[in-house]
């Protein structure tokens, strides 16, 4: 089923010039980029985005990291986009990620794990609306 999911290329990806390589992987797997913006999150925006993790011990570190330098935020669309994106990304902790996944290839640690992807269609809807107005999301032609 055609779905949308939110993807963020985190500061460690943008700092190391990995935008093209990572977007290339999404496109190879038939995920369509239907919205994309590069922006520098404020700490407050990072805190709001990750509010569900507020009680976790790593919350402060996570928000510092996500507001350290610019990120690229995208809406990806395609068949089973949520699950497909998570498969392409690999496990949250790069040490446990499958070979060939983005996190196995590029991530230094669980904290600096290169990409974010929504974990369910419900999270995707909330996360997409956190960053994008509906009018700035384009429908893919096919
Ligand atoms: P993400 O998929 O963006 O969602 C929550 C983030 O919290 C996760 O990726 C990790 O970057 C981060 N995270 C999860 N566990 C830890 C941890 N033990 N230490 C630091 N950051 C973590």
């Amino acid at each position: 089923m055609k779905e949308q999911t939110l993807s963020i290329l985190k500061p460690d990806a943008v700092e190391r010039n990995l935008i093209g390589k990572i977007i290339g992987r999404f496109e190879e797997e038939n995920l369509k980029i239907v919205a994309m913006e590069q922006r520098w999150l404020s700490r407050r925006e990072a805190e709001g985005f990750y509010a569900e993790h507020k009680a976790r011990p790593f919350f402060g570190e996570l928000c510092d990291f996500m507001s350290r330098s610019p990120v690229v935020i995208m809406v990806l669309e395609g068949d089973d986009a949520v699950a497909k994106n998570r498969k392409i990304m690999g496990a949250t902790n790069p040490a446990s990620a499958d070979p060939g996944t983005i996190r196995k290839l590029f991530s230094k640690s669980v904290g600096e794990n290169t990409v974010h992807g929504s974990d369910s269609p419900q999270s995707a809807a909330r996360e997409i609306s956190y960053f994008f107005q509906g009018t700035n999301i384009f429908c893919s032609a096919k």
Side-chain angles (χ1 to χ4, degrees):
M1 204 182 70
K2 206 181 221 188
E3 276 176 352
Q4 292 184 340
T5 190
L6 187 88
S7 170
I8 305 179
L9 310 188
K10 296 186 179 187
D12 68 302
V14 179
E15 287 165 5
R16 291 181 291 156
N17 280 355
L18 294 172
I19 296 173
K21 281 200 177 92
I22 296 172
I23 289 178
R25 285 285 297 123
F26 296 147
E27 292 190 328
E28 276 164 20
E29 300 288 342
N30 285 326
L31 288 171
K32 206 98 188 159
I33 297 161
V34 294
M36 177 159 67
E37 187 184 0
Q38 180 164 18
R39 74 193 230 199
W40 194 326
L41 299 182
S42 66
R43 198 170 191 291
R44 189 177 284 257
E45 283 173 314
E47 286 168 5
F49 181 73
Y50 281 118
E52 68 186 296
H53 297 300
K54 205 170 176 141
R56 304 283 195 94
F58 56 80
F59 183 70
E61 189 188 316
L62 174 62
C63 295
D64 286 344
F65 166 60
M66 291 300 290
S67 55
R68 172 172 92 188
S69 61
V71 297
V72 175
I73 310 169
M74 287 170 287
V75 179
L76 305 177
E77 184 174 276
D79 289 335
D80 295 317
V82 171
K84 190 183 262 190
N85 182 38
R86 290 183 70 79
K87 193 156 186 233
I88 297 167
M89 292 192 302
T92 304
N93 187 341
S96 335
D98 287 338
T101 59
I102 291 167
R103 284 167 171 161
K104 182 54 114 190
L105 288 169
F106 300 123
S107 304
K108 299 174 189 162
S109 65
V110 66
E112 300 202 11
N113 64 354
T114 316
V115 277
H116 169 83
S118 311
D119 64 7
S120 67
Q122 292 72 25
S123 307
R126 180 177 47 79
E127 293 179 358
I128 289 169
S129 66
Y130 188 80
F131 287 119
F132 292 100
Q133 307 256 308
T135 48
N136 291 331
I137 301 172
F138 304 100
C139 293
S140 56
K142 57 176 192 162

